[in-house]
Amino acid sequence: METVMLSADERGVQTAADALRDGQLVAFPTETVYGLGADALNEQAVRAIFAAKERPCDNPLIVHIFDGSQLAPLCRVNAAARALIDAFWPGPLTLILPKTPAVPDCVTAGLASVAVRMPSHPVARALLSACKLPVAAPSANRSGRPSPTTARHVMDDLNGRIPYILDGGACDVGLESTVLDITDERAPVVLRPGGISPDMLRRVLPNVSVAGSVLRPLAEGEAAPSPGMKHKHYAPKGRMTLVCGADAQTVARAICARYDGEESACVLAFTKHLGYYGNRNVRDLGKDAEEAARRLFSLLRDMDDAGVPRIFAEGMPPEGVGLALMNRMTRAAGFDVVTV
Ligand code: TXA
Ligand code: MG
């Protein structure tokens, strides 16, 4: 199959919408990462997503909607969810809610709940509006690769496996949405941190908690809070170590000492610390957590392409978007985290 790159103009969006209505797959941009979409109510189309990505069938998908009228046929919305929807949609927040029988089991991996989200990206909105369907979409990467933040990343992973990619440029947030389990409205839990931080959620619902395994591996026998969390994630080909500490100079000294014992290593450092690394091979994470979030997956892909065998990355405080960033980086490092 030839994979066609569509520009995100009216014609491209209409071609993509027609393809979705026809049961085909379309990769499309959202404000977080690119998604690989199919008609959420068409079982055969949904199964094709798992095949194209080589995704394990026990990992459920997020259903993307254009407006609130699409919710009632999919899930039961409780009062707490309603408050979050009013505050954060459209935007990078996914809600896990009790599902209706209309949602096929292959979307939810047989769970009694369904993940729903209303993206804010104008191209995603144009597509969802034109196709008039709820669209099931995981990130548009091959399973185990970093999520794609450009149309080129999608092409690199899925060329020949899907008919269409809608090119909407680089994604704004760069990390996947915050996933909040709100099936029990008395005890909402963040399963995956993202662009909407726990503190932002707590301004609306003070009782939001964060799953304990967000920054550490699951303990022996501990149940995964979300099926996606038991699978391997975001691992670059090179071995990565994350170095954390309160003082940037101490962190840099610890990284330099380790780097100098390796051949062809690479450092991921924030802009203001680049000077600490002399003429070592350093890549710039950016000026703050937001910029690092936008760049991280692209940097990990670049280092894979360059065959970098060893990576040392600066950590940062797990606050705001920093929590999402540390969640992805600890996983990319296979939990090899050093505190100095
Ligand atoms: O930003 C995003 O969320 C992107 C864009 C494309 O919307 N999508 C995305 O999808 O990251 P995916 O499939 O890569 O991640 C969805 C996560 C997985 O960890 C999955 O296990 C979890 O959400 N999930 C989905 N449905 C669930 C459910 N019913 N209960 C618990 N976790 C669920
Ligand atoms: Mg994914």
Side-chain angles (χ1 to χ4, degrees), residues 33-34 53 55 59 138-148 176 192 233-234:
V33 301
Y34 274 71
K53 275 181 61 94
R55 179 181 176 102
N59 196 1
S139 47
N141 52 308
R142 270 298 181 107
S143 261
R145 295 265 291 155
S147 290
E176 307 86 342
R192 180 178 74 182
H233 255 279
Y234 320 114

Side-chain angles (χ1 to χ4, degrees), residues 78-81 181-189 205-209:
N78 52 45
D181 183 340
I182 194 164
T183 44
D184 178 353
E185 62 181 319
R186 292 158 305 175
V189 188
L205 296 182
N207 58 344
V208 167
S209 66

Side-chain angles (χ1 to χ4, degrees), residues 32-35 55 59-62 64 96 111 113-115 117 137-139 176-177 179 191-192 226-228:
T32 57
V33 301
Y34 274 71
R55 179 181 176 102
N59 196 1
L61 308 179
I62 298 173
H64 297 67
I96 312 282
L111 296 173
S113 59
V114 61
R117 137 168 158 78
S139 47
E176 307 86 342
S177 61
V179 177
L191 303 182
R192 180 178 74 182
S226 156

Side-chain angles (χ1 to χ4, degrees), residues 9-288:
D9 51 20
E10 210 174 307
R11 216 173 105 197
V13 169
Q14 194 55 54
T15 305
D18 291 344
L20 287 172
R21 293 201 65 85
D22 190 34
Q24 299 187 69
L25 304 188
V26 174
F28 63 98
T30 80
E31 70 278 21
T32 57
V33 301
Y34 274 71
L36 178 60
D39 176 356
L41 304 179
N42 177 335
E43 267 187 62
Q44 215 181 338
V46 171
R47 284 188 204 289
I49 294 178
F50 288 90
K53 275 181 61 94
E54 295 174 19
R55 179 181 176 102
C57 285
D58 63 352
N59 196 1
L61 308 179
I62 298 173
V63 179
H64 297 67
I65 57 168
F66 174 70
D67 67 21
S69 71
Q70 288 173 291
L71 277 172
L74 302 171
C75 55
R76 285 205 318 276
V77 182
N78 52 45
R82 177 64 55 204
L84 292 175
I85 288 169
D86 290 344
F88 298 110
W89 280 8
L93 174 66
T94 296
L95 299 176
I96 312 282
L97 289 162
K99 87 174 196 75
T100 65
V103 182
D105 279 341
C106 57
V107 171
T108 61
L111 296 173
S113 59
V114 61
V116 283
R117 137 168 158 78
M118 186 189 290
S120 62
H121 193 292
V123 175
R125 293 193 58 71
L127 178 66
L128 291 166
S129 162
C131 73
K132 300 184 174 64
L133 296 168
V135 172
S139 47
N141 52 308
R142 270 298 181 107
S143 261
R145 295 265 291 155
S147 290
T149 55
T150 66
R152 167 57 42 197
H153 295 160
V154 180
M155 191 59 107
D156 288 344
D157 278 13
L158 299 177
N159 188 13
R161 296 174 156 256
I162 60 172
Y164 294 110
I165 302 171
L166 197 50
D167 184 358
C171 300
D172 195 39
V173 180
L175 299 179
E176 307 86 342
S177 61
T178 304
V179 177
L180 183 76
D181 183 340
I182 194 164
T183 44
D184 178 353
E185 62 181 319
R186 292 158 305 175
V189 188
V190 174
L191 303 182
R192 180 178 74 182
I196 307 284
S197 68
D199 282 341
M200 291 164 78
L201 295 171
R202 283 183 195 122
R203 269 174 235 145
V204 179
L205 296 182
N207 58 344
V208 167
S209 66
V210 178
S213 49
V214 154
L215 292 179
R216 59 159 174 80
L218 288 171
E220 186 82 11
E222 184 184 7
S226 156
M229 283 197 172
K230 65 175 188 263
H231 295 288
K232 196 165 179 274
H233 255 279
Y234 320 114
K237 289 178 194 145
R239 187 158 81 87
M240 178 164 152
T241 300
L242 184 62
V243 182
C244 302
D247 173 60
Q249 234 169 322
T250 309
V251 168
R253 227 175 289 128
I255 289 180
C256 289
R258 287 173 168 79
Y259 177 107
D260 292 343
E262 299 279 345
E263 253 174 66
S264 352
C266 182
V267 179
L268 289 179
F270 287 92
T271 313
K272 54 182 179 288
H273 308 148
L274 294 177
Y276 295 147
Y277 296 96
N279 56 5
R280 293 176 183 83
N281 180 20
V282 192
R283 297 191 196 214
D284 186 359
L285 278 169
K287 63 177 186 302
D288 54 20

